[in-house]
Amino acid sequence: MDSRQVRAWKASGHTVLWILIDGEIGAACRMSDRIRSDSTTAVRALLTLGITPVMLTGDSFETARLVSEAVGITEPPRAGIKPSEKLEEVQRLHRNGVVGMIGDGVNDGPALASADVGIAMGVQGTAMAAEAAGVVLMTNDLRKIADAVVAARRCTRVMGISVGVALALKLVPFFLMASTAADTYLIVVAVASDVLGIAWVLLAATSLLHMKPQFARSPCGADQVAVTEIVPVAEGLGDNADSEGLHKPQDESHGVVKTRPTNGVADCAAV
């Protein structure tokens, strides 16, 4: 059980399963999943927007580290943590700013509820995660999170400008009252300022209807079905056994970025 091949599998971030035959260990299997193609793009988009992704996972540190490096997460992963520890980590991050939590499992419920913005993966996520979160994604495309941030910031900016312009137009009649004898046309100016203010707000709101995705412009592998391929390996767990594989965390990789497999690979070696 402590062969060189198994140690190499564990060191490379793979999950090792043992197969028992008649009560005795008959084989060892290494399992891994490919990282979704959109995960790297999603992380890069979040970094571009000034958002720092952090991985919270119950997987081993080696698995979390390899995946973080593969998708471009610069912060050290918080690996091997329990649901209560995820909650504590979210609360700790909250002291430094706004925190958004992305998850899909039962273990993510407390952290999703505690975050400023809880985002649940609605396609393959659990009902508990969807209930605890404030936002439910109806697709597994992580790039849409960055698009949502861009849309939210634009909405906030447009709303602020609209309120400023409307207030400025309302002040025009008051300036006219204080500076000139505007008795003859003051009512007209006041009504015109109201109409212009309403028109400006409506036009600004209408412009938001034409927003297009900035990062999720093309379809990704979000809706592809996960496939597991069984690859036989040379007998024995010695130095000649095949150790080639792909690294990605198991299905418990949660946090600011959640990676999901499009397919996986499982290698088995007889003992």
Side-chain angles (χ1 to χ4, degrees):
M1 294 182 64
D2 193 28
S3 67
R4 184 174 181 179
Q5 180 66 74
V6 172
R7 289 197 302 271
W9 284 354
K10 292 181 178 180
S12 60
H14 296 89
T15 300
V16 178
L17 301 180
W18 298 95
I19 299 177
L20 298 180
I21 302 177
D22 295 331
E24 297 183 357
I25 297 177
C29 291
R30 127 186 108 172
M31 301 185 67
S32 63
D33 293 306
R34 292 185 177 93
I35 297 176
R36 290 177 49 85
S37 59
D38 59 303
S39 297
T40 303
T41 305
V43 172
R44 190 184 305 117
L46 292 174
L47 291 171
T48 302
L49 296 173
I51 299 173
T52 304
V54 179
M55 178 179 288
L56 309 179
T57 177
D59 286 330
S60 65
F61 179 79
E62 280 299 323
T63 299
R65 181 184 61 81
L66 290 172
V67 171
S68 295
E69 294 176 353
V71 299
I73 297 178
T74 57
E75 289 289 315
R78 280 65 161 176
I81 58 178
K82 302 176 182 177
S84 59
E85 294 172 323
K86 289 184 180 181
L87 174 60
E88 294 173 357
E89 188 65 26
V90 168
Q91 293 174 342
R92 184 188 68 81
L93 293 172
H94 180 69
R95 292 194 291 267
N96 299 324
V98 178
V99 177
M101 171 71 185
I102 307 169
D104 65 353
V106 176
N107 295 339
D108 299 322
L112 286 170
S114 176
D116 295 290
V117 181
I119 304 174
M121 308 296 289
V123 177
Q124 296 178 340
T126 62
M128 180 176 292
E131 186 134 345
V135 178
V136 178
L137 290 180
M138 301 312 296
T139 173
N140 283 335
D141 192 346
L142 294 173
R143 299 174 300 175
K144 292 186 179 295
I145 298 174
D147 284 331
V149 173
V150 172
R153 290 178 176 178
R154 181 176 175 182
C155 289
T156 303
R157 183 171 62 254
V158 168
M159 183 169 54
I161 294 174
S162 299
V163 171
V165 172
L167 290 176
L169 290 172
K170 290 295 291 182
L171 292 176
V172 172
F174 292 98
F175 285 118
L176 291 176
M177 290 173 58
S179 60
T180 62
D183 296 338
T184 57
Y185 55 86
L186 182 59
I187 296 179
V188 176
V189 173
V191 173
S193 65
D194 286 338
V195 173
L196 289 175
I198 295 173
W200 177 275
V201 172
L202 290 177
L203 288 175
T206 304
S207 68
L208 298 175
L209 299 177
H210 302 287
M211 286 191 299
K212 295 183 179 180
Q214 181 175 339
F215 300 102
R217 296 179 179 177
S218 59
C220 66
D223 298 323
Q224 294 181 2
V225 179
V227 178
T228 302
E229 176 186 3
I230 306 299
V231 182
V233 183
E235 288 192 0
L237 294 176
D239 297 339
N240 295 326
D242 184 11
S243 61
E244 181 181 358
L246 299 164
H247 44 269
K248 184 223 163 253
Q250 301 172 357
D251 203 23
E252 286 296 325
S253 301
H254 311 303
V256 177
V257 172
K258 168 71 177 178
T259 55
R260 301 284 299 177
T262 53
N263 50 32
V265 176
D267 292 348
C268 296
V271 176

